[in-house]
Amino acid sequence: MTRIVADIGGTNARFAIAHPHQGGYRLEAIHVVNCAKFGDFYSAMGQWLEGLDQAAPKDACVAVAGPVEKTPEGGRVTMTNLGWDIRAEELCARFSLDRALVVNDFAALALSLPRLPQEDKWALRDVPAQKGGPMVVLGPGTGLGVAALVSDGGRYSVVPGEGGHANLSAGSERELELLRILAREQMPVYNEYVLSGGGLVNLYRAVCALHGRSAEALTPPDVSGRGLDGSDPLCRETLIDFLNFLGSAAGDAALYYVARGGVFLGGGVLPRIESLLPESQFEQRFITKGCLGEWLQGVRVEVLKAGYPALIGAAAFLES
């Protein structure tokens, strides 16, 4: 059965038609829009539907950045970083749908994991994953998403999380100094205050302060661009610090969920800077967890390639 799927982040909204295909899903009519161009979600979805050259399916699942409240009608959410209010019953009423679900975007991303082919990811820590073991996905984008996937007799269940608002931890003396600087602006310093697109800028200002330098008014693409091309040493340091903090957060997530099925890294920020992972201390931060460091040596870590995995997961939510 074909279905409407959507992935709504704080910056972009992605829409598609999902068709069952070889145990997974094939996406068609993919459309990406800037959320800032629309006053609400329904306007964005309505514009996409009007442009379709095929009949729209009658089932839909919308994956949204934010804590989703389950309801008998199919869920509702007010987006953390955008303020859009999205309700399953409103989707059905406005677009004449038979069924609609509203789910967390990283819950959808988690549900996509068993359905993604190997070419859609690459191994950062290439150790065997435990078949049927819990999996966890996290990724910095507009915010920091976290969710887990557990298997019971081959049937997968998602455990949504809001780990982006857990407190950020330090793994070195340098990071302690950076946290002290960041705490002047935000106390406590939570994960996505650093591990997100906007967090790159917060971290850049802290790195500048650490060196006694004034920060320029940079955007997240400025920080990543200058850091990658080597034109600004402070931006380069910022990207390395970012990846180090991400390593600590990924190790924490592995421990929270006993993720012997693997840790998966997604989000919109990492694909732009993943080339610096070998230069960072991500690996050391991931496994340096006291007496459980040896256990973490056996946890596989994979990086999701750019694409639309959350749309695949949204389609999977409609299988039951």
Side-chain angles (χ1 to χ4, degrees):
M1 177 188 297
T2 60
R3 59 223 38 196
I4 294 169
V5 289
D7 174 21
I8 315 301
T11 303
N12 293 317
R14 306 158 189 86
F15 300 94
I17 304 294
H19 299 263
H21 179 69
Q22 297 181 350
Y25 293 92
R26 183 183 74 253
L27 301 176
E28 294 181 354
I30 299 171
H31 186 57
V32 182
V33 300
N34 186 331
C35 295
K37 294 183 178 180
F38 297 89
D40 58 36
F41 166 75
Y42 306 105
S43 299
M45 182 165 168
Q47 183 190 77
W48 170 69
L49 288 172
E50 289 174 5
L52 287 178
D53 58 3
Q54 58 184 287
K58 292 298 183 180
D59 287 358
C61 182
V62 180
V64 187
V68 174
E69 179 184 349
K70 288 186 177 181
T71 66
E73 296 80 11
R76 64 187 179 195
V77 64
T78 299
M79 294 182 65
T80 306
N81 292 306
L82 191 60
W84 284 0
D85 186 71
I86 305 173
R87 298 171 182 255
E89 63 270 27
E90 186 72 10
L91 282 164
C92 289
R94 289 198 184 214
F95 303 114
S96 301
L97 301 176
D98 294 333
R99 183 187 182 200
L101 293 178
V102 178
V103 302
N104 175 264
D105 59 339
F106 265 74
L109 190 56
L111 199 55
S112 77
L113 297 177
R115 297 165 173 83
L116 296 179
Q118 188 55 48
E119 57 264 28
D120 285 350
K121 51 197 174 182
W122 63 273
L124 176 58
R125 301 197 72 251
D126 195 5
V127 299
Q130 182 185 85
K131 186 176 181 179
M135 294 177 272
V136 63
V137 60
L138 71 160
T142 303
L144 178 70
V146 181
L149 192 69
V150 296
S151 174
D152 182 9
R155 182 177 178 84
Y156 289 100
S157 298
V158 176
V159 183
E162 286 297 330
H165 297 276
N167 290 350
L168 188 69
S169 62
S172 68
E173 289 293 331
R174 175 186 172 90
E175 289 176 359
L176 278 174
E177 290 301 317
L178 289 172
L179 282 178
R180 289 190 183 101
I181 295 167
L182 289 161
R184 299 171 192 165
E185 303 175 348
Q186 172 62 47
M187 175 65 86
V189 181
Y190 52 92
N191 281 329
E192 72 176 42
Y193 192 73
V194 167
L195 296 174
S196 63
L200 267 179
V201 176
N202 295 333
L203 184 56
Y204 162 72
R205 290 199 304 269
V207 170
C208 289
L210 188 66
H211 287 274
R213 300 271 297 277
S214 297
E216 297 182 49
L218 301 184
T219 64
D222 291 335
V223 177
S224 57
R226 291 186 184 190
L228 287 169
D229 67 21
S231 62
D232 188 326
L234 295 181
C235 288
R236 184 82 167 194
E237 286 186 24
T238 299
L239 297 185
I240 298 300
D241 287 323
F242 182 95
L243 292 171
N244 293 344
F245 276 121
L246 182 61
S248 292
D252 289 344
L255 294 175
Y256 293 152
Y257 294 105
V258 196
R260 290 307 294 265
V263 173
F264 298 81
L265 303 174
V269 176
L270 187 59
R272 298 199 295 268
I273 65 172
E274 64 181 34
S275 61
L276 293 182
L277 277 165
E279 188 177 326
S280 75
Q281 294 184 328
F282 181 99
E283 168 83 7
Q284 294 93 318
R285 294 291 192 275
F286 182 84
I287 63 175
T288 304
K289 300 293 180 182
C291 62
L292 286 178
E294 184 175 350
W295 181 87
L296 283 164
Q297 292 278 4
V299 176
R300 185 177 180 86
V301 179
E302 299 196 53
V303 179
L304 302 180
K305 295 182 180 179
Y308 304 97
L311 295 178
I312 301 295
F317 263 102
L318 290 163
E319 289 178 358
S320 58

